[in-house]
Amino acid sequence: MTMLRAMKIDANKKKANTVIMRPLRLASACAALAFATLTAAGAAAMGNTWEGLKADVVGSRSLQSGSGVVTLSAPIRPEDQRAVPIAIDAHFTDGRTVKKVTLVVDENPMPVAAVFDMGPHQRHVTLKTAIRLNQQTEVRAIVEASDGTLYMSSRLVKFAGGQAACAAPPTGNAEEIAANMGKMALADVPTDGNATHIAHEMRLSISHPNHTGMALDQRTLLYIPLRMISSLEVRQGDAKLFDMTGSITIAENPYFEFPVSLTGDHNLEVVLKDSDGGEWKRSLPIRAGS
């Protein structure tokens, strides 16, 4: 009788979980994506999440240690989990170049935070941005070399507690967000004295809420529809610096830091697109050192 009762209780729990998950999936596209991610990973424990994600991210390809190739920097315990600073440095000294950089956040609803398809002839790549953090997680940088070899570095980032960042309400009201959406600014990043006369780091700031679909409107108590940055194209004149494929894991009103050539074109050409069909094109003057 004990075993039969236990089976009934387990069946009731499964039924209850099904009833609970159904309205969540209908309420938000992001919640559906989160559920699908958890299902794809099986019932894996949190520490084994990467094993459930790996095939979706890199397929059957092998991963080499990023030691000496990829450096990933992030705070161990961030001050603001809605905008956790991330820095990636990748370089090759054997003639190969950086083809692609993939940023993965294991425990987020959309684990692949961003994919940067780099322009040609880049042996040394530095990228900085900010991400949302839903809970304690491993953050990974996967770099693909021009010969197809993959290198990975990872770092554990702890959770400060409180509300998950993907469910946090956006900053400002809907009217302000709509009025500012698509605005961009390019600024010089102060150096520590190691800058060269050839390359200089710039910061591209973008006004976009990158709505996750998981946050409630504080006035209507309805979910704010998903509207995420889907792609970002960055060119220095005609020279491709990178194309980025985005996700809800990128922070609200994000920034991107990267080097530009001081001997190249003096304008940065940017094309931003989002999942709602929005598209913004900007030509921004490069004024390094100003």
Side-chain angles (χ1 to χ4, degrees):
M1 292 295 292
T2 302
M3 182 178 294
L4 179 61
R5 184 180 181 186
M7 291 174 65
K8 288 181 177 180
I9 290 173
D10 185 59
N12 288 335
K13 285 182 178 179
K14 290 181 179 179
K15 183 177 180 180
N17 286 338
T18 301
V19 172
I20 290 169
M21 287 306 297
R22 187 178 295 117
L24 286 176
R25 291 199 302 270
L26 293 174
S28 162
C30 266
L33 285 167
F35 178 78
T37 299
L38 291 173
T39 302
M46 182 179 295
N48 295 325
T49 301
W50 173 241
E51 294 306 316
L53 294 172
K54 184 178 178 181
D56 291 332
V57 178
V58 299
S60 60
R61 301 167 70 184
S62 62
L63 284 166
Q64 307 299 317
S65 169
S67 178
V69 175
V70 188
T71 301
L72 173 64
S73 301
I76 295 177
R77 192 179 297 276
E79 294 181 1
D80 186 352
Q81 54 222 25
R82 297 170 302 174
V84 180
I86 300 292
I88 300 169
D89 185 287
H91 67 278
F92 294 104
T93 58
D94 55 8
R96 291 180 297 170
T97 58
V98 179
K99 181 179 179 181
K100 187 178 295 185
V101 178
T102 301
L103 179 61
V104 180
V105 183
D106 286 9
E107 304 296 340
N108 268 23
M110 279 189 176
V112 178
V115 179
F116 297 87
D117 183 25
M118 306 306 300
H121 315 305
Q122 298 190 48
R123 296 183 181 180
H124 188 186
V125 166
T126 58
L127 293 167
K128 295 179 182 178
T129 189
I131 61 171
R132 292 178 166 117
L133 192 70
N134 251 29
Q135 62 186 78
Q136 178 171 299
T137 183
E138 287 284 343
V139 178
R140 304 173 190 274
I142 301 172
V143 171
E144 180 177 353
S146 52
D147 66 352
T149 306
L150 298 178
Y151 299 87
M152 183 176 75
S153 290
S154 65
R155 181 175 178 82
L156 177 67
V157 181
K158 297 183 178 181
F159 192 66
Q163 187 176 31
C166 284
T171 303
N173 59 49
E175 292 76 18
E176 291 173 336
I177 291 171
N180 291 318
M181 194 176 300
K183 290 183 179 180
M184 303 182 202
L186 188 65
D188 180 62
V189 177
T191 66
D192 57 4
N194 295 324
T196 70
H197 294 292
I198 298 175
H200 194 86
E201 193 169 353
M202 306 294 292
R203 171 181 280 215
L204 173 64
S205 300
I206 296 173
S207 292
H208 194 287
N210 208 35
H211 288 313
T212 67
M214 299 176 71
L216 289 173
D217 186 305
Q218 300 302 297
R219 293 179 297 179
T220 66
L221 297 182
L222 297 174
Y223 283 102
I224 300 170
L226 172 74
R227 186 169 187 176
M228 70 177 188
I229 294 173
S230 54
S231 68
L232 178 67
E233 301 174 7
V234 180
R235 306 284 186 274
Q236 186 173 2
D238 294 328
K240 173 182 173 180
L241 297 184
F242 62 84
D243 290 338
M244 184 203 74
T245 301
S247 78
I248 63 170
T249 294
I250 296 296
E252 175 187 1
N253 297 325
Y255 67 84
F256 300 91
E257 291 185 9
F258 48 87
V260 299
S261 172
L262 298 184
T263 61
D265 196 281
H266 295 301
N267 285 299
L268 199 73
E269 309 297 332
V270 183
V271 179
L272 172 71
K273 297 180 182 179
D274 71 15
S275 59
D276 205 45
E279 180 174 335
W280 300 267
K281 297 181 179 180
R282 300 287 186 269
S283 182
L284 305 169
I286 297 172
R287 299 190 180 96
S290 61

